[in-house]
Amino acid sequence: MALQLMKYAVYGRVQGVYFRDNAVKQARAVGVAGWVQNNLDGSVGGEAIGKPENLAKFQEWLNQGPPSARVEDLKTEHHEIEEDHFYGHFERRKGRGVGPPAFTKA
């Protein structure tokens, strides 16, 4: 079974609105593993691993976020991965990351 890694960064009013807590609930509900964190630039970002159809459901949710959020932009990058690169769960990271996950320059 092919798994994908999705790096993502969500911009807008996404901090202080329980975005990360709701992302954890949504990811677990659709069967996605990985992590989410606040970033110093005001975005929320992370990595998600799962089947392409499950990642699509999670990405759809990221485009809207929880009711109190206002998503203005979502950047994603998808990569095929080996099954041994698997988190096993989805977690909310404390603190703030330096920035969104590094995207591959095209």
Side-chain angles (χ1 to χ4, degrees), residues 20-94:
R20 291 177 300 159
D21 290 336
N22 283 285
V24 170
K25 290 177 189 172
Q26 184 64 25
R28 289 177 179 168
V30 300
V32 171
W35 55 270
V36 62
Q37 71 180 15
N38 283 338
N39 295 318
L40 291 175
D41 67 356
S43 68
V44 169
E47 295 182 351
I49 295 176
K51 296 178 185 176
E53 59 270 20
N54 295 353
L55 288 175
K57 292 174 188 174
F58 185 58
Q59 184 172 338
E60 184 178 322
W61 182 86
L62 290 172
N63 270 311
Q64 297 180 359
S68 54
R70 190 181 79 242
V71 175
E72 295 173 0
D73 192 20
L74 171 64
K75 294 192 183 325
T76 62
E77 187 176 279
H78 295 259
H79 301 276
E80 295 292 326
I81 61 166
E82 300 295 325
E83 289 223 28
D84 60 353
H85 185 276
F86 190 67
Y87 293 107
H89 65 283
F90 198 93
E91 68 182 23
R92 174 184 177 265
R93 293 191 173 172
K94 295 182 179 181

Side-chain angles (χ1 to χ4, degrees), residues 1-31:
M1 163 189 354
L3 295 178
Q4 284 189 346
L5 165 69
M6 178 178 72
K7 295 181 179 184
Y8 61 90
V10 187
Y11 299 88
R13 192 178 78 183
V14 294
Q15 291 190 12
V17 294
Y18 298 98
F19 197 101
R20 291 177 300 159
D21 290 336
N22 283 285
V24 170
K25 290 177 189 172
Q26 184 64 25
R28 289 177 179 168
V30 300

